Each structure stands twice: as C-alpha cells, then as structure tokens.
Amino acid sequence: MPEAYPTLLAGQRMTAALLRSMQPQVARKTADTSRNSTTTTTADLHLFFAVEANAVYVWDAWLKYFADPAADITVDFTVPSGALGEWSGFAAGSATTTMQTAGYSIRTDSNDVSQPRNFYGASDTDLTAILHGTLRVQSTSGTFSLDWSQGTSSATNTTLYTDSWMRLQRIA
C-alpha cells in the first residue's frame, strides 16, 4: 500500500505548516567545502535536516566532488539515536581512471544508514555521486546530516562543490 504523509481528513483545516509538511525539503550547498589531512567524517555545513520522532523519510542526493585517487572520499550520515534505514550510492568505484582510457567502475552496494562508504577519486576530473535511501526515525527526533571526509588522509584537498544537494520527504 502506498504511503503518504500526512493523512488528510475530510473537513481538516489546511494550514501553512500542514502544507509545508507535505512538501519535500531540499538542502543545497551554497559554497564549496574542502577538507584535507583528515579521515574523520564531519557533517557538511549545508546538507542536513531536522527530522521528527516516529517518522519515515525517503531521501536522495546529488554530490559533485573532487577527490585525489590517493585520498578518495568517504560518505557517512548522522542520524538520531535508534534510527534505522538503508542507502545506496552510484559513484566511482575502485580502479577509477580517466574516462578516455578505461572508463569508470560504479559502486552500488546497499548500506545500513549508519555505515560509511568510500567512493573513489580521479586525479584529472570532478566526479558525481547519486545517493538515495530511507530513514526510519524511532522515538528520538534529531538531525539527519550528510557527513564526509577523505578516505585516506592527504594534504590534497577533497572538495564537495556548490550546488550539490540533498532532498528529504516524509512519507509516514
């Protein structure tokens, strides 16, 4: 059975808050963020949402990044205590080289929402990652954020670019 949030009732008063709760939320990076010499994933300054207790969400994201092949990029998430869910990403996999010589392998594993995943870098081009998943928040509300770092510490900047975005929609 399809899920929708909220469940509207006959005669219910439509308020701005109710209408807003029905719309997807979108967070967009308004500035590049670079990190180097760190493998500790940290919440992105732009890509985060407040999530409600006892709610279910679907989400997706488009990330444009540069990561040197020696450093790569690690993507992770902060979720409220007890939250569950799954996510998958379509992004550069191992042995990434320039498109002209060998093409790209694509990493497509399914991951627990609290499990980080490493995506690869290329020395001569920017790359993208398409992410999507579900988030089931238990009895504790909180923050859902995209966290990231280098996969291997390097003095070369790993950068998540302006206009990368995440979208979140409550479905239950």
Side-chain angles (χ1 to χ4, degrees):
M1 180 167 105
E3 292 182 286
Y5 177 85
T7 301
L8 299 176
L9 305 172
Q12 182 175 358
R13 184 172 179 197
M14 297 298 250
T15 63
L18 179 64
L19 291 171
R20 176 151 168 64
S21 74
M22 297 165 70
Q23 297 179 337
Q25 300 175 53
V26 178
R28 181 183 61 88
K29 287 191 66 59
T30 57
D32 295 351
T33 303
S34 295
R35 297 184 177 154
N36 60 45
S37 303
T38 183
T39 59
T40 302
T41 58
T42 305
D44 188 80
L45 302 172
H46 304 103
L47 304 179
F48 63 91
F49 302 94
V51 292
E52 301 293 324
N54 304 308
V56 178
Y57 298 89
V58 293
W59 61 270
D60 59 339
W62 178 82
L63 308 178
K64 179 180 177 185
Y65 69 93
F66 173 81
D68 186 78
D72 299 328
I73 188 170
T74 297
V75 174
D76 198 3
F77 298 93
T78 293
V79 298
S81 177
L84 303 169
E86 295 287 326
W87 73 279
S88 180
F90 295 92
S94 63
T96 298
T97 60
T98 62
M99 185 67 131
Q100 293 76 24
T101 59
Y104 293 101
S105 63
I106 301 295
R107 186 164 200 168
T108 61
D109 346 40
S110 177
N111 308 290
D112 184 83
V113 74
S114 61
Q115 178 184 16
R117 188 54 66 209
N118 195 50
F119 297 115
Y120 292 83
S123 59
D124 60 350
T125 191
D126 296 329
L127 297 167
T128 61
I130 298 171
L131 313 177
H132 56 270
T134 57
L135 176 66
R136 297 185 318 276
V137 182
Q138 304 301 309
S139 60
T140 304
S141 62
T143 300
F144 174 53
S145 67
L146 181 124
D147 303 354
W148 63 278
S149 68
Q150 294 180 314
T152 302
S153 183
S154 169
T156 302
N157 281 344
T158 297
T159 303
L160 193 55
Y161 290 111
T162 301
D163 290 332
S164 294
W165 56 266
M166 278 182 72
R167 179 173 44 204
L168 178 81
Q169 175 138 23
R170 185 169 178 180
I171 60 168

